Amino acid sequence: EQAILILMGHANRPILLDGDAIPDGSLERCISNAKLASANWLLFTLYYFQMLVAYLFDDIELAIKMGEKYIDLDESLHHSRKGFVLLSELKFLYCLTSLAHARKTKEGIWEKRGHESMERVKKLAKDYPSSYQHKLLLLEAESAFNAGNKCKASEKYELAVTLSRNNEFIQDQALSCELAGNFYAEQRNEYKASHYYGKAHELYLEWGAKGKADHLRENYPY
C-alpha cells in the first residue's frame, strides 16, 4: 500500500518505503521485526517493493541493496510456488537494476548478474509469453545499450514498447518508453528522447502513478 501511495505522489519521502501504511511506521523497524519473527515472506515482500520504488525513482544503489538482501534470504524462497508472480517480477526487476548499475559503475560483476537474471526471465517468457516476452525484449534492449549495440538496442526498445502495449501492460509500456528515452538521450537524439519521455509521462499518469510522472518531468532533460 505504501508503494502505491508513493507512486501516486502521496508521500513525503518518495524513495523510502516509510509512512502510515507501513505497520511499524518505518521500513527498518518493520524489517527488524520480521527478522525477529523469521517472517521470510514478509521480508521478501518488503525488499521487493522497496527495490521497485528505489528503481523507479532512480536510487539504483538502494535498489541493488534490496536485491542483495533478497538473495541472502533462504534459498528455498527463490524456487517456491508460493508468491510465484512476485518472485517472477523480482527476477525481472533485479535484472533491470543490475544492468542499470553496470552501466553506471562499469563493473562487470553487475553485467554478469544481469545476464544471469535474464536467463531466468527467458524461461518465463517461454512459459508465459503474453506476460514476459515484452519484459525480455526490454532487458535485451538494456543489455544492447550497455554493449554499445545501438541498432539492436533501438530495435528492442521499440519492440518492447509495442508488445507491452499490445499485451495491455501499461506500467511496462511506460517503463519501456522511459528507458528508450534514456537511450536516445545518451545518443543525443533529442527528437526521439523527447517523444519517448513524453509518452512515458503520459502513460504513468494514465496508470495512476502521478508521483512517478512528476519525478520524470522534474528530473529528465527533455
Side-chain angles (χ1 to χ4, degrees):
E1 184 180 345
Q2 188 63 37
I4 293 170
L5 291 173
I6 289 169
L7 288 169
M8 290 176 67
H10 301 319
N12 294 326
R13 304 169 70 192
I15 292 175
L16 293 176
L17 214 61
D18 291 344
D20 293 339
I22 295 293
D24 298 293
S26 95
L27 178 67
E28 287 305 319
R29 279 198 298 274
C30 198
I31 287 174
S32 296
N33 290 340
K35 285 180 177 178
L36 288 172
S38 298
N40 280 346
W41 271 105
L42 175 56
L43 282 170
F44 164 72
T45 303
L46 290 168
Y47 293 152
Y48 169 75
F49 282 107
Q50 177 60 90
M51 187 180 180
L52 176 64
V53 168
Y55 176 81
L56 288 175
F57 286 87
D58 298 317
D59 191 336
I60 300 301
E61 287 79 8
L62 179 57
I64 284 287
K65 180 181 176 182
M66 292 297 108
E68 294 301 292
K69 285 181 180 292
Y70 153 72
I71 288 172
D72 290 339
L73 288 175
D74 189 326
E75 179 69 19
S76 64
L77 281 177
H78 301 191
H79 307 289
S80 174
R81 299 301 297 179
K82 179 183 178 182
F84 174 77
V85 172
L86 206 59
L87 280 165
S88 300
E89 288 298 307
L90 191 139
K91 291 170 185 175
F92 168 65
L93 181 58
Y94 187 71
C95 186
L96 276 176
T97 304
S98 296
L99 292 172
H101 202 49
R103 188 157 59 244
K104 182 176 181 179
T105 64
K106 310 301 182 186
E107 294 176 2
I109 181 62
W110 299 111
E111 197 74 36
K112 181 175 182 290
R113 290 190 181 184
H115 288 148
E116 288 170 352
S117 296
M118 200 185 306
E119 289 303 312
R120 300 184 181 101
V121 178
K122 282 181 182 178
K123 185 177 186 309
L124 289 167
K126 181 179 178 182
D127 294 340
Y128 310 98
S130 62
S131 296
Y132 285 95
Q133 187 61 43
H134 64 275
K135 295 179 189 289
L136 178 59
L137 287 165
L138 183 57
L139 296 178
E140 290 173 342
E142 287 283 276
S143 180
F145 182 6
N146 285 8
N149 191 334
K150 299 176 186 178
C151 290
K152 182 177 180 181
S154 178
E155 176 187 3
K156 295 288 185 176
Y157 283 121
E158 292 183 19
L159 286 171
V161 169
T162 299
L163 193 56
S164 57
R165 181 186 66 237
N166 292 348
N167 290 339
E168 299 183 340
F169 283 88
I170 189 171
Q171 72 276 26
D172 292 336
Q173 186 187 356
L175 180 59
S176 297
C177 287
E178 178 184 352
L179 297 183
N182 291 347
F183 168 71
Y184 286 115
E186 182 74 15
Q187 312 311 314
R188 303 184 187 280
N189 187 330
E190 294 186 14
Y191 175 78
K192 283 200 169 183
S194 180
H195 167 75
Y196 279 110
Y197 283 141
K199 189 63 178 176
H201 182 266
E202 174 187 317
L203 288 164
Y204 281 127
L205 285 176
E206 187 177 341
W207 185 37
K210 183 179 183 299
K212 169 60 183 177
D214 289 347
H215 174 81
L216 185 66
R217 177 174 50 80
E218 292 164 5
N219 290 278
Y220 287 79
Y222 298 101

